[in-house]
Amino acid sequence: MIKIIFFACSILSLNVISAQNSDISGTVSFNGNSEPYVNIYLKGTEIGTASDEKGQYTLKNISPGKYTLIASNIGFEKFYKTITISKDQDKIIDINLKASTESLDEMVVTGTLKPVSRLESPVPVEVYKPTFFKKNPTASIFEALQNVNGVRPQINCNVCNTGDIHINGLEGPYTLVLIDGMPIVSGLGTVYGLSGIPNSLIEQIEVVKGPASSLYGSEAVGGLINIITKNNLSAPKFFADTFITDWGEFNLDVGTKFNIGNKTNVLLGVNYFKYDNPIDNNDDNFTDLTLQDRISIFQKWNFSRKDARVLSLAGRFFYEDRWGGEMQWTPEFRGGDEIYGESIYTRRWELLGKYQLPVKEQMILSFSYNDHKQNSVYGDVAYLADQRIGFTQLTWDKTSGKHSLLAGTALRYNYYDDNTTATANDNENEPDEILIPSIFIQDEIAFNKKHSLLLGGRYDYDDRHGNIFTPRAAYRFKFTDNDIIRLNAGTGFRVVNLFTEDHAALTGSRDVIIAEELEPERSFNINLNYLKKIYGDSGTFVSLDASAFYTNFQNVIIPDYDTNPNQIIYDNLDGTSISKGISANVDVSFYNGLKFMVGGTLQNVSNTENGVKQRQILTESYSANWSVSYDVRAWDFTIDYTGNLYGPMRLPTLGENDPRSDFSPAWSIQNIQFTYDGLKNFEFYGGIKNLLDWTPNRGNPFIIARADDPFDKEVTFDANGNAVATPNNPNALTFDPSYVYGPNQGIRSFFGMRYTIN
């Protein structure tokens, strides 16, 4: 009942729209067919909207005067029309779009740290819009990324279900998560950076695969995920999106935009997620899905300044209470050794902003700061941590002839403290605190319309590791308007903090062994990308995006589960770690409303030490993703079928006597959704997730080892600390929840509703 009241109050809280002067409305079409999601706005004003699913649009409350009406969307030439508005005179203007040879003319910022057309960028950047994620609605971006080719959300614990993002088979700590271009999410808070931002406030998500340390520093080793939020022009005036599942999950996104005076506009969004229904379908007396109570509040302020200079400020507050464990666990057992539970309280706030200096040159000062507090217990092991990250950066953007220069300096502040040996020195607490100054420069040289070359480098100084230099180079060859080849090469580095990155170091009964002082990881990457576009006479559009990649790591740190089944041993690999493979995406749109996307990746991620080559743990050799959508326009109805497929992975078993399989089978999660949008401002959607009812316990006697004895009270150990076989433990196992490669949540139905006022 509280949820219903909260949702109703959110809608009723919308301010009454003031009386309007005049409206412009009409229909956007291409080749006689309506065109949805086209951006329409009046140049030089804050008045703008997007066409709905039927191609219809309305611009409201327009004062008398002369304006330029602009419509733009991927795959089409921009539409311009000069109009004159008289008082109380509504206009109907239908817009007919023309196909463009520059079909992917989105603006991207992640690859080069400044806005550039996606086609002109020498660095390949994949762009995903909110409509892509609507095809399989989820409560967080973390889950939604399962439909992006080469990107896999990895669950790291069967009990608390925390996870990270793998790109091209590389572990989560190699992926840097950005919000509006700021490296605000890292280490302790990586998974939380992908939760709690309402889908309706996201302009686009940009994904770069491969090192980008020359621009972003540490952690940008394997790739980047940049969440770009909307501005006041593109955001809806009010939105609410809520869904429930038959497991009892409830998610609510609600938000609005409003003006303060004539020069300030504000974007506000709130996300709330609740799941409090313990389910144990695999009968191991442990929750299949972690219980969660989460709220996130996001606010973004944009200020109008002279000469359209940038000034924005954004903040987010995040709180989550999550627990998983034995079905009879309650909070009074927290931290004890009677009933096993993993309970995590997280409180986090973030602040980020941009300020363009009032000088003739294009100079922007960016900054971010976050404070992350975590109070966790894993059985009877407490983990109390506090991490603060401050970041400031000044960039200078200059174009001179054929050269597009970007130079800058950055300063990063890291503070980390916990109750483990990571911040202890001679039994005294010694938090990790450091300042890392950096300078960087890049020059993109446009020789002509077909050839461009980007050269860049970054210098960082870390007191612990000294001087770190990371160069990069990128070449773009556009041999026709519809064919582009890009060749990228660069280096990356990462400074490691195990306890903020690897959940396995904290959970279960394995002892953590750090064999040596850990050196920064280094990487070299080369990537060849080919983009092809095909335009059919009937309005059909095809896009092919294919890549081949190779990454060589030095000093790579990989948890060793094999040497001793009761230990996790961390040290720098004395050898090489190589990730290589190929990937491709094909997108096809037909004029009749049928669209499909298919992506696939073949990869080989291996480690070689002392002449022995071994496949990296928890890394699939192949994967595929797909999305098929069909608009039944006569019925205002859309069908979306999405899915993924992952090849076998090597898994962390507890030695030769462990009856669990050493490799996962090939597995797939598939979903179907039906959407009806025949009522103004409303969308109703529902469907089924995990149609095949796949869970990782298939083919295994159990998933969590010794789930009936999570504190190892009945395990017998020898003098070396190894478990020995006994009548009640014939396989000599200890409690271990780290055998996980996919979600335990089976088939479920969902139903939701969206209400939007543009």
Side-chain angles (χ1 to χ4, degrees), residues 384-615:
L384 310 175
D386 183 10
Q387 185 175 43
R388 303 166 204 159
I389 299 176
F391 180 84
T392 184
Q393 177 175 272
L394 178 65
T395 58
W396 172 61
D397 187 355
K398 179 73 172 179
T399 299
S400 177
K402 296 181 178 180
H403 297 267
S404 178
L405 294 167
L406 180 75
T409 180
L411 183 66
R412 179 168 178 148
Y413 168 75
N414 284 349
Y415 174 91
Y416 175 73
D417 189 19
D418 66 19
N419 63 324
T420 73
T421 56
T423 57
N425 186 12
D426 294 331
N427 296 321
E428 292 186 5
N429 187 50
E430 189 175 295
D432 182 23
E433 188 171 16
I434 192 167
L435 281 171
I436 303 176
S438 314
I439 57 173
F440 56 89
I441 187 170
Q442 72 176 21
D443 181 13
E444 184 179 348
I445 309 166
F447 298 106
N448 49 49
K449 290 184 177 180
K450 291 188 175 183
H451 300 273
S452 66
L453 175 68
L454 181 144
L455 301 172
R458 181 186 182 104
Y459 166 79
D460 292 76
Y461 179 76
D462 187 320
D463 280 341
R464 299 163 297 183
H465 307 293
N467 303 314
I468 302 174
F469 178 64
T470 48
R472 78 189 302 204
Y475 169 69
R476 181 182 66 89
F477 175 37
K478 184 178 179 182
F479 51 96
T480 75
D481 285 340
N482 299 325
D483 296 89
I484 301 174
I485 289 179
R486 297 178 175 97
L487 179 64
N488 279 251
T491 61
F493 75 95
R494 185 173 74 97
V495 178
V496 180
N497 188 322
L498 292 178
F499 293 93
T500 68
E501 298 167 353
D502 194 342
H503 181 269
L506 297 166
T507 190
S509 62
R510 298 181 190 238
D511 293 326
V512 176
I513 306 297
I514 301 177
E516 61 183 0
E517 183 177 351
L518 301 176
E519 294 295 326
E521 296 179 320
R522 303 268 192 164
S523 71
F524 168 77
N525 171 274
I526 187 167
N527 181 296
L528 179 64
N529 174 261
Y530 172 62
L531 177 65
K532 172 71 175 179
K533 299 167 293 169
I534 302 172
Y535 297 89
D537 295 335
S538 60
T540 301
F541 171 70
V542 181
S543 172
L544 169 65
D545 192 337
S547 295
F549 57 90
Y550 173 90
T551 305
N552 186 307
F553 289 91
Q554 296 177 345
N555 292 334
V556 66
I557 300 168
I558 299 173
D560 178 2
Y561 294 88
D562 302 321
T563 300
N564 187 325
N566 296 306
Q567 296 178 341
I568 307 176
I569 302 173
Y570 295 93
D571 63 356
N572 289 110
L573 184 72
D574 184 16
T576 59
S577 178
I578 294 175
S579 170
K580 57 186 177 181
I582 57 174
S583 67
N585 288 311
V586 178
D587 294 280
V588 182
S589 298
F590 297 96
Y591 73 94
N592 62 358
L594 177 64
K595 301 177 182 178
F596 71 83
M597 179 211 74
V598 179
T601 299
L602 295 174
Q603 62 191 16
N604 185 345
V605 184
S606 62
N607 307 306
T608 303
E609 188 171 24
N610 299 324
V612 178
K613 184 177 179 180
Q614 192 172 36
R615 182 173 161 186

Side-chain angles (χ1 to χ4, degrees), residues 218-235:
S218 178
E219 298 167 37
V221 180
L224 300 171
I225 297 174
N226 189 7
I227 303 170
I228 299 176
T229 58
K230 291 181 180 291
N231 58 33
N232 191 269
L233 178 63
S234 59

